[in-house]
């Protein structure tokens, strides 16, 4: 098994971190949150010779899921996640796109498989535990790789901030519970990539994130 690598392609006017997780040796991998700019994502995949086996979604917001169906058609792979509680968001991506004035092709998304707490998803030898972390969105999931001490946290937690909770289905108390009861207990040494801006480590967020102290 090769090392777990991650490449980031910023997509959409929201500069969302579309993330390509892949094995450094055999170059199999997945795309997490293809929110848009699908041609750029495809160029990154082809440019690095990565064999994509699935699309994983953290939640149903436009900047994370808006390009999922177009990318699925281009790659011929399944869309996996998020939790089914985000189905109403995924059913309304086209209206989200209109509301935010987003250009390009956005299609409502029908995942091939929704996820629930405690399931495992994988590519190659890399396994990720699924943590259901509502608050920013009702069906938000986090992908946690115990061996690599790595988590993709989407819009739950940011470096020095947390996800907004003023969108439909947002719940501030639930978001804080998700972070404090599910993410931080995984350990201070867990590195994370998030949906916007730089990632970090849970320990630094536990000590210094003004929304958590
Ligand atoms: Zn979001
Ligand atoms: Zn976002």
């Amino acid at each position: 098994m090769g090392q777990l690598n991650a490449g980031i392609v910023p997509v959409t006017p929201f500069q969302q971190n579309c993330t390509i997780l892949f094995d450094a040796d055999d170059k199999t991998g997945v795309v997490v949150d293809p929110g848009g700019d699908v041609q750029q994502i495809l160029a990154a995949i082809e440019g690095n010779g990565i064999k994509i086996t699935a699309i994983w979604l953290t939640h149903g917001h436009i900047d994370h899921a808006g390009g999922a169906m177009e990318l699925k058609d281009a790659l011929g792979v399944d869309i996996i996640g998020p939790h089914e509680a985000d189905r109403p968001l995924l059913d309304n991506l086209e209206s989200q796109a209109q509301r935010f004035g987003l250009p390009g092709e956005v299609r409502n998304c029908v995942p091939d498989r929704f996820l629930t707490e405690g399931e495992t998803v994988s590519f190659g030898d890399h396994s990720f535990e699924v943590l259901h972390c509502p608050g920013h969105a009702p069906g938000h999931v986090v992908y946690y790789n115990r061996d690599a001490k790595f988590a993709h946290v989407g819009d739950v937690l940011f470096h020095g901030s947390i996800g907004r909770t003023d969108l439909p289905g947002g719940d501030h108390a639930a978001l804080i519970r998700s972070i404090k009861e599910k993410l931080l207990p995984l350990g201070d040494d867990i590195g994370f990539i998030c949906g916007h801006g730089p990632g970090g480590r849970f320990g630094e967020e536990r000590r210094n994130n003004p929304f958590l102290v």
Side-chain angles (χ1 to χ4, degrees):
M1 174 171 76
Q3 191 183 335
L4 176 65
N5 277 17
I8 289 175
V9 184
V11 296
T12 80
F14 298 96
Q15 290 292 293
Q16 199 277 121
N17 292 328
C18 174
T19 305
I20 301 168
L21 299 174
F22 62 99
D23 183 280
D25 286 351
D26 72 12
K27 298 289 181 101
T28 59
V30 296
V31 178
V32 183
D33 288 356
D37 297 323
V38 169
Q39 294 308 317
Q40 284 171 239
I41 299 169
L42 287 169
I45 292 167
E46 286 162 19
N48 292 284
I50 298 168
K51 298 179 281 289
I52 296 297
T53 60
I55 295 164
W56 295 354
L57 299 181
T58 63
H59 66 295
H61 286 155
I62 181 79
D63 51 327
H64 296 256
M69 294 298 272
E70 186 185 349
L71 187 64
K72 172 189 167 76
D73 284 351
L75 296 174
V77 299
D78 283 354
I79 299 172
I80 297 173
H83 185 282
E84 192 165 8
D86 269 10
R87 186 195 289 270
L89 290 171
L90 295 165
D91 283 345
N92 285 287
L93 287 172
E94 291 161 24
S95 57
Q96 287 186 54
Q98 282 177 343
R99 185 167 351 125
F100 290 109
L102 286 191
E105 182 189 354
V106 170
R107 282 155 57 196
N108 294 336
C109 176
V110 182
D112 296 279
R113 175 185 161 196
F114 284 109
L115 296 170
T116 58
E117 171 83 16
E119 279 190 82
T120 298
V121 291
S122 62
F123 61 88
D125 294 322
H126 301 281
S127 290
F128 293 73
E129 297 165 43
V130 174
L131 307 171
H132 182 205
C133 293
H136 172 71
H140 201 304
V141 297
V142 164
Y143 298 99
Y144 168 52
N145 187 306
R146 193 173 290 270
D147 294 329
K149 296 185 181 294
F150 167 80
H152 195 302
V153 302
D155 285 357
V156 173
L157 176 68
F158 300 122
H159 179 53
S161 188
I162 59 174
R164 59 190 284 188
T165 52
D166 59 332
L167 296 167
D171 182 333
H172 181 78
L175 181 64
I176 296 296
R177 274 199 307 277
S178 289
I179 296 168
K180 291 192 171 179
E181 296 176 11
K182 291 192 178 173
L183 299 186
L184 299 187
L186 298 175
D188 282 356
D189 57 345
I190 304 301
F192 69 89
I193 287 175
C194 49
H196 305 267
R201 281 188 196 282
F202 284 172
E204 192 187 346
E205 302 310 316
R206 185 178 58 75
R207 288 187 295 271
N208 299 324
N209 190 314
F211 295 90
L212 303 177
V213 295

